Amino acid sequence: MARVDCNQEEEESPLLQTSHQILKGNIWTALAHFIAGVIGSGVLSMAWSIAQLGWIAGPLSIILIAFFALVSAFLISNFHVYPNPTNGNTTMNRSFLQAVHTILGYKNGLVCGCLVYFSLFKTGVVYVITSATCIRAIRQSNCYHEEGHEAACEYENKYYMLLFGIVQLLASQIPNIFHTKWLSIIAATMSFTYSFIGIGLGLAQVIGRGKIEGSINGISTANPTQKVWLVAQAIGDIAFSFTFSLILLEIQSTLKSPPSQKVTMKRTCTIAIFITTSFYLLSGASGYAAFGDSTPGNILTGFGFYEPYWLVDFGNACIVLHLVGGYQIYSQTLFAIAERWYAEKFPESALTSDIGSLKVLGLPKFRVNPLRLCFRSTYVISTMAVGMLFPYFNEVLAFSGSIIFWPLTIYFPVEMYIVQQKIVGWSSRWIVLQVYSTFCLLVTMFTLAGSIEGLVAKRFG
């Protein structure tokens, strides 16, 4: 009989969770985690992305990338339980990185590890930048309301990055993703709230003017080369908005059964991506219809909307609250990988011994150990530092999306599926999968070139 290798000694570690805690999740908690992790900074840039691509290519790009993301999600959900043909054991893969290492081997796992760490880190950086931009926008909104729209209401982002970082220093001491259920629910609620606000303000602007702005070709530029780079950045922004593959198996590990975790996860992914895509299309279309060639990079902080100022303030406050939870959804995945590795490598280390307890954000008290305190604090400070160095919203989003979309969302899931299903090389299924992967690679290379050009131009131009 095949032996199930669930790594029971991990479950007893203070850095991990016991099995009875892991199996409490359902489709609603998974949906909250999913939406909190997916609908984030990306929705704010959808109007700008559609503005670069135009009324036809913009929505089609969102739908196409959403389809790619759904295919990837369905593939990844199959890897949670992997019957290893080499030793007859069944491995429970509780993270994307573990799945790659188990199915594709050490070398692929090493490459994937570097990309995973970069992806999780860059998401933290993007959330730092976005939160600071939103806090600054609240101050600017009140300033414009009191002194007029032409007033010089400029404030430094770095102070607001520090403020967000202080909150995350505390929130990062939450032990793991299983304790973030309420943060995810709040974050998901905030996602819907500020998305509705952005959509509503855009539609109100269109109705008030009685005219739909924009064109089929998108924003025109004097330099055709610059137009190409902007299109590449827009596709990169959209790709960033659908990069959730890293947290899917972590979420799937929280689900109870029956029904099977795979079935629940596929239902969750279908619902979540449908909701996400609908919001992206509505937000992008309403923003572009309202502003046309003047569409700002961030629909709520670019000050296309000045009034009602209190609603703009509320929308930005919702974004900040969402990013507090969203930051943790991604960071907890990285924390779990690093701390699990350390606990296995140095099981007797004093750094994993509890030194006290901490109460965070009204949640129950958590045990604190030196490893968690030092590593997580260093991580938060590092994301703040990089955010201060490159505080460019759209360009950072495009770079983040383009550099990891193909390998993590397309390549590794496709290769794992080929190995798991034992698909023969040059068979019809193999050819379809390789064409699909190659097409996405070409798109990713295009967006990466555009995002690098944008970052260089902003930083050194």
Side-chain angles (χ1 to χ4, degrees), residues 223 225-230 232-233 395 399 446-461:
N223 185 347
T225 303
Q226 186 60 29
K227 175 67 175 180
V228 172
W229 295 136
L230 290 173
Q233 290 175 32
E395 290 77 12
F399 179 76
F446 173 61
T447 60
L448 180 59
S451 63
I452 292 175
E453 191 279 337
L455 280 174
V456 171
K458 277 289 182 72
R459 183 65 182 168
F460 304 106

Side-chain angles (χ1 to χ4, degrees), residues 79 82 85 102-104 413-423:
F79 309 141
Y82 176 65
T102 301
I103 300 172
L104 298 181
V414 165
E415 292 302 312
M416 285 191 286
Y417 183 75
I418 289 173
V419 171
Q420 186 182 53
Q421 298 298 317
K422 301 178 181 177
I423 298 175

Side-chain angles (χ1 to χ4, degrees), residues 128 131 160-170 327 380-381 383-384:
V128 168
S131 62
Y160 308 119
M161 291 184 186
L162 287 172
L163 178 62
F164 183 78
I166 291 171
V167 174
Q168 293 301 336
L169 283 172
L170 294 173
Y327 185 101
V380 172
I381 292 170
T383 59
M384 284 193 296

Side-chain angles (χ1 to χ4, degrees), residues 320-333:
V320 175
L321 284 175
H322 166 246
L323 295 180
V324 169
Y327 185 101
Q328 285 302 312
I329 295 300
Y330 282 95
S331 299
Q332 289 291 343
T333 301

Side-chain angles (χ1 to χ4, degrees), residues 12-67:
E12 299 304 319
S13 167
L15 297 175
L16 305 172
Q17 284 299 292
T18 57
S19 58
H20 74 274
Q21 290 173 306
I22 291 174
L23 301 177
K24 289 183 178 180
N26 54 42
I27 191 170
W28 300 110
T29 59
L31 195 59
H33 284 312
F34 208 108
I35 291 176
V38 177
I39 300 182
S41 307
V43 71
L44 304 172
S45 68
M46 283 301 118
W48 183 86
S49 297
I50 291 181
Q52 310 310 315
L53 297 164
W55 275 119
I56 295 178
L60 283 178
S61 296
I62 293 174
I63 292 171
L64 184 62
I65 293 176
F67 172 74

